[in-house]
Amino acid sequence: MTDDIYYRSPDGLNLYAKRYGPADAPLSILCMHGLTRNHKDFEPMIAALPDRYQFIAVDVRGRGLSDRDPKAENYSPAIYAGDMATLLDHLNLKRVALIGTSMGGLMSMIMMKTMPDRICGVVLNDVGPVFEKSGLDRIAAYTSNTEPKAGWDDAARSVGEVQAEIFPDYGPQQWLAFARRTYRELDDGRVALDYDPAITRTVAQVRPGLLTRIAMWKLYKDMTKVPLLLIRGETSDILSAKTAAKMIRKHPDASLITVPRIGHAPILDEPEAVEGIRDFLTKVEART
């Protein structure tokens, strides 16, 4: 069962999310995507997990079916986290688990700071308090090219060229499916990336210096209030193995899953990720 969810942000934007599963489920999970993605990013994962749960997958402002923001400065994880509070109020959800990929993981950390009583567990997908500069540079490079493609085949080829090192075992079918999750069709038959190009300003603002790292580790400390599952792509250039190990050491109830032969970030339909998330949600459900 799926439902479209439309709601308004505090500053008047029309925002979108999609519900998968029963509204009266024993556990609700809020799924928050990465910088250039949208709610469809979680469909492979949701299809592989038990259908007894309610998954709410969002289009953060500026992506997918959500309004583009005329004020580019509002493309900020702190603003996005505020939108998530509005969504939870709209759905009358008192407590949820979070699954956050990359930027969505940053949103999760902010939400643990600002609304800890509403969260019962967090899955962080390939993100932590320290961002490797090489990964940020790679993301900044590929997000700068937003020219529409002639059609879906061209979009699939483009995605394959950009993401080949991240998903080395993907073939034509996987690249086409990837493209259909990240592009939208225009009236003239061309396809375009499904986000406002202005969102890329966020990448340029991330400066992984000493003060930023201190602030981020302080923010991460609030994550220790709930169970944590950390998922890392084996070849990730955003979350290093060293940072992931430190995150586990600093958390009293955390576990780490490494997805082999995948970079930043796993799609979460990989067998290792599916098994780990299923077990984690079972544990969180038992505690709620």
Side-chain angles (χ1 to χ4, degrees):
M1 182 182 71
T2 62
D3 291 303
D4 296 319
I5 300 167
Y6 297 93
Y7 65 107
R8 289 181 70 83
S9 69
D11 55 351
L13 295 183
N14 294 310
L15 302 180
Y16 176 83
K18 191 165 186 176
R19 185 205 318 271
Y20 304 79
D24 60 350
L27 180 66
S28 296
I29 301 103
L30 182 65
C31 304
M32 298 171 291
H33 57 74
L35 177 68
T36 64
R37 307 292 181 81
N38 56 66
H39 76 276
K40 291 181 286 187
D41 216 37
F42 290 100
E43 289 184 337
M45 177 200 77
I46 293 170
L49 289 172
D51 59 8
R52 62 192 304 268
Y53 296 127
Q54 174 182 213
F55 295 91
I56 307 295
V58 304
D59 282 350
V60 171
R61 63 172 65 196
R63 288 83 164 172
L65 296 177
S66 289
D67 281 353
R68 278 43 179 165
D69 197 317
K71 298 179 180 178
E73 62 269 20
N74 288 338
Y75 289 139
S76 159
I79 298 290
Y80 305 151
D83 291 340
M84 296 304 100
T86 300
L87 173 58
L88 295 182
D89 290 342
H90 176 77
L91 297 174
N92 196 30
L93 289 174
K94 304 300 182 184
R95 208 152 186 251
V96 296
L98 305 179
I99 298 180
T101 293
S102 195
M103 181 192 76
L106 297 183
M107 293 164 60
S108 299
M109 285 191 270
I110 293 169
M111 292 170 70
M112 276 303 306
K113 178 70 174 180
T114 59
M115 57 186 92
D117 293 342
R118 304 190 76 165
I119 300 167
C120 56
V122 178
V123 178
L124 291 181
N125 183 19
D126 214 62
V127 65
V130 179
F131 314 94
E132 299 302 315
K133 186 177 183 301
S134 59
L136 292 174
D137 290 344
R138 177 182 59 80
I139 292 172
Y142 80 72
T143 56
S144 63
N145 182 9
T146 57
E147 287 296 315
K149 307 303 178 185
W152 287 110
D153 288 342
D154 283 346
R157 279 193 292 271
S158 178
V159 167
E161 291 170 359
V162 170
Q163 303 282 352
E165 292 186 8
I166 310 303
F167 303 100
D169 299 325
Y170 273 26
Q173 288 186 331
Q174 288 98 332
W175 293 130
L176 181 59
F178 199 121
R180 290 192 177 277
R181 293 195 301 269
T182 52
Y183 282 77
R184 71 183 189 280
E185 190 164 350
L186 304 177
D187 292 340
D188 61 6
R190 295 182 302 161
V191 295
L193 287 162
D194 204 4
Y195 61 82
D196 182 349
I199 67 170
T200 58
R201 65 184 294 276
T202 306
V203 182
Q205 292 178 341
V206 178
R207 294 176 174 83
L210 177 60
L211 293 180
T212 298
R213 293 188 182 199
I214 292 173
M216 289 300 298
W217 279 113
K218 185 177 180 181
L219 184 64
Y220 177 73
K221 187 176 181 180
D222 288 294
M223 301 290 291
T224 60
K225 299 172 184 176
V226 299
L228 170 68
L229 173 62
L230 179 61
I231 297 176
R232 177 179 180 269
E234 182 182 32
T235 62
S236 175
D237 57 1
I238 288 289
L239 177 64
S240 71
K242 179 180 178 181
T243 297
K246 185 175 180 179
M247 292 169 68
I248 300 301
R249 289 198 306 271
K250 285 182 170 289
H251 196 294
D253 187 9
S255 56
L256 170 66
I257 290 175
T258 300
V259 181
R261 293 182 57 78
I262 296 289
H264 180 81
I267 298 299
L268 301 182
D269 65 342
E270 302 86 2
E272 299 82 3
V274 170
E275 181 180 0
I277 295 171
R278 183 190 298 118
D279 292 346
F280 181 77
L281 295 180
T282 299
K283 179 176 76 171
V284 170
E285 179 188 353
R287 297 185 182 186
T288 58

